[in-house]
Amino acid sequence: MIAIGSDHGGFHLKQEIMKHLDELGLAYHDYGAYSTESCDYPAYGEAVAHAVASGACERGILVCGTGIGIGIAANKVHGIRCATCSDCYCAEMSRRHNDANILALGERVTGVGLAMKIVDAFLNAEFEGGRHARRVALIGQIEEK
């Protein structure tokens, strides 16, 4: 299950991503926003992050205007490693090397076609473990301080 959320600035791209997930046959839960009415991105970043951190959802996708603010909000939740990505390589490597569990995108800076490729890169990549596991564990130690 994929947790997905956006604020008003990411609403349209979120809708496109949900269509794409439907086409791929992937299950998701939409944590809002449900319109383009102005709202506050931290609430949606937090909701998706809690869904992923609790294990209710395996991964998450967040969208705001740039992906930055909503990603910062998600990263405040213990156990979350949210990567704001604007290209496929970074999305793939965020999974392979950093075990990112949430992808953040920006509707105002990323076109729909590229966004779908970034989503695919993120969802299809797996954590490599090995030396990267040690580094991710070190991130967890920082989080515990």
Side-chain angles (χ1 to χ4, degrees):
M1 175 80 67
I2 298 165
I4 190 165
S6 73
D7 69 354
H8 59 284
F11 177 77
H12 293 297
L13 183 55
K14 182 185 71 167
Q15 298 305 112
E16 293 298 323
I17 293 169
M18 289 190 301
K19 285 184 208 173
H20 185 66
L21 296 175
D22 285 336
E23 290 168 3
L24 295 173
L26 298 174
Y28 60 87
H29 181 81
D30 181 3
Y31 286 85
Y34 304 111
S35 75
T36 57
E37 184 177 331
S38 183
C39 60
D40 299 319
Y41 62 80
Y44 304 101
E46 182 181 16
V48 166
H50 280 298
V52 173
S54 72
C57 293
E58 181 181 340
R59 293 193 197 159
I61 300 171
L62 290 166
V63 190
C64 69
T66 63
I68 296 168
I70 204 163
I72 290 170
N75 277 321
K76 298 299 180 184
V77 174
H78 184 76
I80 294 304
R81 291 173 306 282
C82 179
T84 300
C85 298
S86 57
D87 63 72
C88 297
Y89 180 76
C90 288
E92 178 182 346
M93 298 315 285
S94 75
R95 288 286 309 130
R96 292 191 185 283
H97 289 188
N98 310 116
D99 200 18
N101 47 20
I102 299 179
L103 169 67
L105 296 165
E107 178 177 319
R108 296 178 185 144
V109 297
T110 308
V112 173
L114 177 57
M116 296 315 121
K117 291 177 183 176
I118 293 169
V119 166
D120 290 345
F122 180 79
L123 294 177
N124 292 326
E126 294 297 330
F127 183 51
E128 291 178 0
R131 71 185 188 278
H132 306 295
R134 179 176 50 84
R135 295 168 183 156
V136 170
L138 289 170
I139 294 170
Q141 288 175 15
I142 294 168
E143 193 173 48
E144 295 298 327
K145 292 180 184 178

